[in-house]
Amino acid sequence: MILLLDLGNTNLYVGVYQNQALICSFRTDSDLNRSSDMYATLLNNFLTKNNLSPSSFEGAILSSVIPSLTDVIASAVENILQVECKTVNRGIKTGLSLRIDNPYELGADLVCDSVGAIKKYGYPCIICDLGTANKLLVIDKNGNYIGGTISPGIRSAGKALTKDAAQLMDISYKAPKNVIGKNSPDALNSGAIYGTVSMIKGLTTMIEQELGYQTKHILTGGNASLVKEFLNDYKFDSSLILDGLFEIFSKNK
């Protein structure tokens, strides 16, 4: 078995692969105040809940966008499993061809999304990853990662808005019945959910016009479930980043 971990700015997403398939997973907050021992306890509880023995794991791999927590979590994993925890960094083989101005600035999460999408769906494709930020990643017809777009995520944008607007309140995010909100919570949800849907559709059209051809569309990320029912031309894949991590692990045995 292989332990896969994706550390994002909001969530730590953990999964277990056995026989080249994801068998279980969980999410928890990316807490900067947790120690390595605390993360070890969380991971150990996850394994125990799923009746998994630490001695059954042959390896682990971590993708992280929080440098200060990378070693903390890698250490927790290694203490539990007694195996090396690989990290997605400059020295690891990914098989992804990068055609951007500065390949070193590309986040590990975007690399894993791209590797997973190419493996599972082929190319050309647009990967829409909705998390702390909304990212649209573009893989061209030759299988190259050529760039994309980044904008504030649904919850991130909402927090910024309610912080700066005295008369607006925090809300629970869900699609309202109507686009025209007749109260503040519905109006905020309409802007957040339907606004994101419209942005994705519009950017997808603009990207394909710029490419000169149509692409496959994949939707993933922690906030993707909020909009998936309104994006029928996007294939929803909640485990895409873990699939990419597994593929990268396989290239670095």
Side-chain angles (χ1 to χ4, degrees), residues 2-54:
I2 309 298
L3 187 68
L4 313 160
L5 306 98
D6 169 53
L7 177 63
N9 287 300
T10 302
N11 293 139
L12 172 64
Y13 184 25
V14 182
V16 176
Y17 254 76
Q18 185 175 38
N19 298 324
Q20 299 191 347
L22 182 67
I23 62 170
C24 57
S25 64
F26 87 106
R27 290 181 185 269
T28 186
D29 292 340
S30 301
D31 191 341
L32 293 170
N33 296 316
R34 282 192 188 127
S35 65
S36 182
D37 287 344
M38 290 176 177
Y39 276 107
T41 299
L42 279 172
L43 294 171
N44 200 41
N45 289 342
F46 165 62
L47 299 182
T48 301
K49 180 180 178 181
N50 289 279
N51 298 313
L52 300 174
S53 169

Side-chain angles (χ1 to χ4, degrees), residues 194-205:
Y194 298 132
T196 297
V197 169
S198 296
M199 179 190 70
I200 293 168
K201 289 181 177 179
L203 285 174
T204 299
T205 297

Side-chain angles (χ1 to χ4, degrees), residues 45-119:
N45 289 342
F46 165 62
L47 299 182
T48 301
K49 180 180 178 181
N50 289 279
N51 298 313
L52 300 174
S53 169
S55 62
S56 301
F57 286 81
E58 63 178 277
I61 186 167
L62 167 67
S63 163
S64 171
V65 297
I66 307 179
S68 62
L69 278 182
T70 301
D71 290 342
V72 171
I73 293 177
S75 177
V77 171
E78 291 173 351
N79 286 338
I80 294 172
L81 303 185
Q82 296 298 302
V83 297
E84 177 191 6
C85 181
K86 300 179 185 297
T87 58
V88 179
N89 54 34
R90 296 181 185 182
I92 203 165
K93 293 182 288 186
T94 66
L96 182 64
S97 174
L98 302 177
R99 296 291 184 267
I100 56 178
D101 293 342
N102 184 2
Y104 293 125
E105 72 183 11
L106 185 65
D109 54 338
L110 308 189
V111 172
C112 295
D113 276 342
S114 300
V115 171
I118 290 171
K119 175 67 175 180

Side-chain angles (χ1 to χ4, degrees), residues 129-143:
D129 184 338
L130 304 183
T132 306
N134 295 332
K135 292 90 64 180
L136 269 71
L137 319 176
V138 184
I139 310 296
D140 72 9
K141 62 183 178 181
N142 298 312

Side-chain angles (χ1 to χ4, degrees), residues 203-216:
L203 285 174
T204 299
T205 297
M206 293 173 72
I207 289 168
E208 290 183 337
Q209 287 175 344
E210 193 167 301
L211 289 172
Y213 48 82
Q214 293 188 322
T215 67
K216 300 171 184 178

Side-chain angles (χ1 to χ4, degrees), residues 176-183 186-187 190 194:
K177 182 178 180 181
N178 300 307
V179 174
I180 302 172
K182 296 185 180 298
N183 54 67
D186 281 354
S190 181
Y194 298 132

